[in-house]
Structures are given as C-alpha cells and as structure tokens.
Amino acid sequence: MSKISDRWASVAAGGTSETEQWPTRSFEDLIGSTRFDVHERAHIVVDDTVCRDCPSRECIVACPAKLFVPTSDGGILFNYEQCFECGTCYLVCNKEGAISWSYPEGGHGVVFKRS
C-alpha cells in the first residue's frame, strides 16, 4: 500500500494523522485571521421599520458576529462590514421583508484564513 493509501485507510478506520487535524484556536484568534473585503454596496439590508414590530428579535441573539444592535427607538442597527455571510440572521428572522440577503459582489466579502 502507498503512503497515501495507508493514511486514508487509517482515517477510515477511525484514526487520524497529524496532517489532518486542525489546531485548536480560540474564536478571537480565528476572527483575528479573518479578512473582510468590503464592497460599497451592502449584501444584507435590514428594514428596521419592519423590525420595530418584532417581539422576539432572534437576529440579535443569533448573529455570531454580534452585528445586530437594538436602538432606543425600537429599530435595529446593522453593520454589514464584518459579516461572516453565514445567513443565520436571514434564517431566524420571522418578519417578512425585514432582511434582504444576498452574497457580496465577486471578489468581496469574508475571507477565512486557515493557519
């Protein structure tokens, strides 16, 4: 068996090799190695007039980057520049038309770096 076949056979049997394990890193370290190539046009638009009537505001809790902030007048402020593009906000929102989500223009958006 070749070296590659041996490694894959080991992985298939439940073993791992050091080259296939990802290092344990804190969330802060991961964010520190993430780059945001921001486009001038937002890929997520939040209509805070729709959000004013939302009793649950799941987007505030669900966003892993904490980009949804409630305002004193009942609206929601959203900062798309450091969005992970995960779509969680769009999935948990229960108000029709509150969030318009699309991928950023080509060449823009979040760039995760594995190190």
Side-chain angles (χ1 to χ4, degrees):
M1 224 185 254
S2 73
K3 212 175 201 182
I4 293 172
S5 297
D6 287 342
R7 187 176 78 196
W8 286 112
S10 171
V11 170
T16 59
S17 71
E18 286 188 35
T19 60
E20 295 186 60
Q21 292 182 1
W22 289 62
T24 302
R25 298 180 64 199
S26 70
F27 182 75
E28 290 77 17
D29 287 343
L30 291 171
I31 296 307
S33 66
T34 302
R35 187 177 79 235
F36 298 92
D37 294 334
V38 180
H39 191 274
E40 61 199 34
R41 187 173 54 82
H43 66 286
I44 296 179
V45 178
V46 176
D47 183 347
D48 73 337
T49 57
V50 176
C51 300
R52 290 179 203 283
D53 295 331
C54 179
S56 57
R57 299 178 168 233
E58 285 100 347
C59 59
I60 295 171
V61 177
C63 178
K66 308 280 186 242
L67 300 180
F68 290 82
V69 179
T71 60
S72 61
D73 64 353
I76 290 185
L77 180 66
F78 175 71
N79 175 17
Y80 77 96
E81 287 88 355
Q82 294 190 334
C83 176
F84 295 138
E85 301 167 28
C86 64
T88 302
C89 59
Y90 187 74
L91 293 172
V92 301
C93 180
N94 62 1
K95 288 289 193 175
E96 183 72 31
I99 296 175
S100 300
W101 195 96
S102 64
Y103 285 106
E105 294 285 327
H108 295 89
V110 65
V111 180
F112 296 105
K113 181 179 174 185
R114 178 180 173 196
S115 56

